[in-house]
C-alpha cells in the first residue's frame, strides 16, 4: 500500500496561484472556493528581512482530527492510500470537521451544501498521474511521491522536508522545505 505524500519547497514558491487555479478546475469548484490558500510571512528584523509565501491545504494527516468528529463517516482515511478524504454523498454539511482541522484546510461549498478539501487528486493518482497542483506548478516547488517507495525529485528532497506544525501531533504527509 503506498503512502502518498507531497513536498512543497517554500523557497521556490512565488505565489502565482497556478496550483490553486488547477485545483479549482480539477475539482470543479466555484471561483470563491479553493482547497489551497496562501499565507505570507515576514521573518527577521530590518534590514535582514525575508519574505515567504506559504501555500496551505489539507495536510492528509495520518492522525487526522477531522475524521473522528464526522457524524456520518463522510470524512475518512482512504484504505489503499491513507489519504484523508470526504465522501460527498455522505457529507451532510454539518461543518464539524472545519474547526477540528488545525490547518484550516476545509471549506464549505455552499452551492453543494457540503464540506470539501484537497483530495490530492486521487482520481488522477489512480490513473498514474500527478495531482493537478504538482503538474501545474510553474516553479517546480511541489513534489509528489510515495513515502515507502521514494524516487526521483521526491526522494532527493525528502531528507530536508519537515512537517509544518509537528506540535499538532497529526503526522501530516504534506511536508515543507522552509
Amino acid at each position: 500500500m503506498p503512502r502518498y505524500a507531497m513536498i512543497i519547497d517554500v523557497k521556490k514558491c512565488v505565489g502565482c496561484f497556478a496550483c490553486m487555479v488547477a485545483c479549482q478546475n480539477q475539482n470543479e469548484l466555484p471561483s470563491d472556493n479553493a482547497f489551497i490558500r496562501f499565507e505570507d510571512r515576514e521573518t527577521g528584523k530590518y534590514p535582514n528581512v525575508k519574505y515567504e509565501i506559504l501555500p496551505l491545504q489539507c495536510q492528509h494527516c495520518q492522525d487526522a482530527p477531522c475524521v473522528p468528529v464526522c457524524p456520518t463517516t463522510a470524512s475518512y482515511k482512504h484504505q489503499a492510500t491513507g489519504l484523508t478524504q470526504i465522501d460527498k454523498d455522505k457529507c451532510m454539511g454539518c461543518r464539524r470537521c472545519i474547526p477540528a482541522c488545525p490547518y484550516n484546510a476545509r471549506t464549505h461549498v455552499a452551492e453543494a451544501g457540503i464540506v470539501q478539501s484537497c483530495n490530492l487528486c486521487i482520481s488522477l493518482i489512480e490513473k498514474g498521474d500527478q495531482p493537478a497542483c504538482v503538474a501545474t506548478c510553474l516553479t517546480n516547488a511541489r513534489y509528489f511521491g510515495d513515502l515507502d517507495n521514494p524516487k526521483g525529485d521526491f526522494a532527493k528532497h525528502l531528507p530536508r522536508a519537515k512537517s509544518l506544525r509537528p506540535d499538532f501531533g497529526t503526522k501530516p504527509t504534506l511536508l515543507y522545505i522552509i
Side-chain angles (χ1 to χ4, degrees):
M1 171 171 91
R3 285 189 310 138
Y4 292 122
M6 184 185 299
I7 299 170
I8 300 174
D9 188 339
V10 175
K11 293 174 187 152
K12 288 184 170 184
C13 179
V14 295
C16 68
F17 305 115
C19 59
M20 184 179 78
V21 172
C23 175
Q24 286 173 307
N25 186 45
Q26 176 66 29
N27 292 287
E28 300 176 352
L29 292 172
S31 61
D32 60 342
N33 278 92
F35 296 160
I36 301 172
R37 64 184 172 82
F38 295 85
E39 288 185 3
D40 48 341
R41 296 175 164 184
E42 290 181 20
T43 56
K45 289 188 174 191
Y46 177 80
N48 300 315
V49 178
K50 290 183 182 181
Y51 178 75
E52 296 175 328
I53 298 167
L54 185 66
L56 295 164
Q57 64 197 68
C58 179
Q59 305 285 300
H60 293 283
C61 304
Q62 293 175 40
D63 292 332
C66 57
V67 172
V69 300
C70 181
T72 63
T73 66
S75 291
Y76 68 99
K77 298 300 287 177
H78 188 264
Q79 286 264 286
T81 62
L83 297 175
T84 307
Q85 301 290 298
I86 300 172
D87 184 334
K88 295 177 192 178
D89 295 328
K90 287 184 177 180
C91 182
M92 64 180 193
C94 72
R95 305 181 203 181
R96 290 183 188 167
C97 59
I98 292 175
C101 174
Y103 299 97
N104 192 24
R106 296 205 159 198
T107 184
H108 181 256
V109 181
E111 292 85 353
I114 59 172
V115 173
Q116 289 185 285
S117 71
C118 167
N119 59 21
L120 212 58
C121 294
I122 196 161
S123 62
L124 294 177
I125 293 169
E126 289 171 339
K127 290 191 269 184
D129 294 329
Q130 293 187 341
C133 62
V134 175
T136 305
C137 183
L138 301 172
T139 61
N140 297 314
R142 291 172 174 260
Y143 310 96
F144 173 74
D146 180 352
L147 290 170
D148 293 330
N149 188 17
K151 296 178 185 173
D153 280 343
F154 181 76
K156 181 173 68 175
H157 296 288
L158 199 52
R160 296 184 305 138
K162 306 287 183 235
S163 167
L164 187 62
R165 293 291 308 266
D167 56 314
F168 288 163
T170 60
K171 299 181 208 147
T173 58
L174 182 70
L175 305 170
Y176 291 85
I177 298 172
I178 298 179

